[in-house]
Amino acid sequence: MDSREAPVRPFVVFCALIASLGAFNSGVNTSALNIPGDSLRNCPGVPAGVVTYYPHSPLPQCIPMSDWVWGAATGMFAVGGLIGAMVSGWFSNRFGRRDSMILLNVTFFIGAILLSLATTSGQFAVGRIFIGIGSGFMTCVVSVYVSEISPPKSRGALTSTLQLLTTIGILLIECISLGLNSAIGWRIVVVITIAPTIIQMLVLPFCARSPRWLVNKNRVDEARAAFLRIRNGDIEAEFTDMLLGLNSAEEAKSNLDDKDSAAGFDSNAVAKDNSKDEGERQLSIGQVFAIPVLAVLTLKIFVVHALSQLTGINAIMYYSTTIFQASFGNTAQYVTIGVSGLNVVVTVIGLSLIDRLGRKTLLLISTGGMCIFCVIMTIAMRYNVSALQVVCIMLYVASFAVGYGMIPFVLVGECFPTYAIGPTSSGCLAINWLMNFVIGLIFPSMLAGCGPYSFLIFAGLSLIAFIFQKSLEEIGRHLGWYGINIEEELAKKNKA
């Protein structure tokens, strides 16, 4: 049986889940401060701004911060994410997807130590940067790694485990925070990130390396051995397909000099013929933009990633407890848990739909729903209709989770030729984290200044996202990148 038609090996699912622990860690740190935020900023039993200390300890029980400083300190997580995404291409190409994840886990340890021992807002912000570096790096590399080890038929669902583990991380840390919403509890919350870090570092060495990365390093024999570990059935056609930079059997058959089957093709010859483009050659982001067809594709995916943040999801993930406090008081934290639980459920539903309905359809459903429920949320907050607020936030999160929460990460691994994946994935995720920072920084002040009308801004951006997705044509090689000679394209650019 052809490996592309064979069932997914449990080992592939295992590798995807272990790699996605990096995304789980990102989710943990995204919402670690959502519920215990007030305990972190205000010491118990004293007026706001007054600092008290733990008995027999130089550590303060709280770190007072204004809304602006709090937004900046929270947003430093995204600044770190931006840095992590920017360096991910170099690290993952130099050390490999798997081994680079092991190396960069050290940033979670550094960040957790700084946060748990923080005495000032500056130290706290630096700790958030280190945590963000690990999260940004993992978010970028995990999507590429899982995409590269997954069978074509299951690639969408398996790559989406990144978003599933992210939402589970958010839900789990918020449940834990219910019992740690105290002067000592917030310091425990910020150090919990070490647990999944240790598990991933210990188990990742037993996972497969990326065959595509091995081919890029011209280690074809090792790539074949890795492929045998992650596939059932006859791998020859799919392996040759990968060497040619194809994703489907039909394209392979039509481009192999009219041969009936790729199985009989000399994979070593293919590797040699394509080594310039698919093996030795790795483009920089500047070279990607020097090739028109790749530049257009990259800009489109950049916009998808930017809008996935600017439409407001992390305003909810960072500050939902604050949003709900005006209507629900001390019970706001339980509403936050409900929102995060729904996020997990709908992400699971999205996993079952992504390879059935297609990427574009789910993106349209997602952005359309987000726009509608942001408008209704504005009305609910304006007239203080508590029940409607909860329903709107939940439906907004559900709309995001079913499409926009996972598809941008799937597109990164699917859309680009092998020689462009490193720089473009880093760029896409850098844009994602930059917009994440913008939202984390400005939302507390925006909510204080605009009140319920803050969500009209998100509604407008969701409408823009809907229109953009509606105009988005076929992606990947259908835009014309398959078969281009990158040396000729770059030479044309240099002559110009």
Side-chain angles (χ1 to χ4, degrees), residues 70-391:
W70 176 236
T74 301
M76 287 301 109
F77 174 69
V79 171
L82 174 61
I83 296 170
M86 291 177 67
V87 304
S88 64
W90 185 87
F91 270 96
S92 64
N93 286 329
R94 174 68 177 81
F95 300 103
R97 301 3 173 174
R98 187 195 71 178
D99 293 352
S100 63
M101 285 189 279
I102 297 172
L103 290 173
L104 266 290
N105 265 316
V106 70
T107 60
F108 288 113
F109 284 98
I110 296 172
I113 292 170
L114 289 172
L115 289 171
S116 61
L117 300 177
T119 57
T120 65
S121 57
Q123 181 182 344
F124 187 85
V126 173
R128 289 285 287 175
I129 289 175
F130 274 97
I131 289 289
I133 290 172
S135 297
F137 180 87
M138 292 295 176
T139 302
C140 186
V141 176
V142 170
S143 63
V144 175
Y145 172 77
V146 176
S147 176
E148 291 180 349
I149 67 170
S150 301
K153 288 176 60 177
S154 306
R155 186 169 293 138
L158 284 173
T159 305
S160 298
T161 56
L162 182 149
Q163 181 62 18
L164 176 61
L165 268 289
T166 300
T167 59
I168 291 174
I170 291 171
L171 176 61
L172 183 61
I173 197 63
E174 288 180 349
C175 291
I176 292 172
S177 296
L178 287 176
L180 294 173
N181 188 12
S182 63
I184 187 65
W186 68 264
R187 292 187 183 272
I188 298 173
V189 167
V190 296
V191 84
I192 287 174
T193 186
I194 289 177
T197 299
I198 293 173
I199 295 172
Q200 189 183 50
M201 291 182 74
L202 292 175
V203 181
L204 263 179
F206 299 99
C207 295
R209 293 182 185 272
S210 164
R212 282 181 76 173
W213 177 78
L214 291 168
V215 169
N216 286 339
K217 297 299 180 182
N218 291 322
R219 293 155 63 175
V220 178
D221 290 339
E222 291 180 62
R224 180 183 293 277
F227 223 70
L228 287 169
R229 294 184 69 195
I230 59 176
R231 290 292 185 272
N232 287 313
D234 182 2
I235 69 165
E236 290 303 323
E238 186 182 358
F239 186 68
T240 304
D241 210 26
M242 181 190 70
L243 292 173
L244 289 170
L246 301 176
N247 285 341
S248 69
E250 290 77 10
E251 289 171 325
K253 291 174 184 176
S254 65
N255 285 283
L256 290 176
D257 297 325
D258 297 324
K259 286 186 180 285
D260 292 334
S261 172
F265 210 74
D266 183 351
S267 61
N268 290 324
V270 172
K272 291 175 184 176
D273 291 342
N274 288 276
S275 62
K276 177 182 282 188
D277 287 355
E278 296 288 332
E280 296 174 356
R281 191 63 186 261
Q282 277 290 313
L283 301 186
S284 67
I285 191 67
Q287 290 171 323
V288 169
F289 276 100
I291 300 173
V293 66
L294 293 180
V296 170
L297 175 60
T298 302
L299 286 173
K300 289 189 175 187
I301 306 302
F302 275 8
V303 172
V304 171
H305 274 269
L307 288 172
S308 73
Q309 292 297 326
L310 291 176
T311 46
I313 186 61
N314 275 320
I316 307 298
M317 295 298 108
Y318 288 151
Y319 304 114
S320 59
T321 302
T322 302
I323 295 170
F324 288 133
Q325 275 177 341
S327 299
F328 294 93
N330 293 332
T331 61
Q333 57 191 4
Y334 299 104
V335 181
T336 295
I337 296 292
V339 170
S340 298
L342 179 67
N343 194 15
V344 174
V345 172
V346 178
T347 299
V348 173
I349 295 172
L351 287 175
S352 66
L353 296 177
I354 188 169
D355 288 321
R356 296 181 184 180
L357 297 183
R359 282 62 161 151
K360 184 176 177 179
T361 299
L362 285 181
L363 284 174
L364 290 173
I365 294 172
S366 183
T367 51
M370 290 161 66
C371 178
I372 293 169
F373 297 121
C374 278
V375 172
I376 301 174
M377 178 66 180
T378 301
I379 298 171
M381 291 183 69
R382 174 66 179 81
Y383 295 100
N384 200 29
V385 184
S386 301
L388 186 57
Q389 288 180 37
V390 175
V391 171

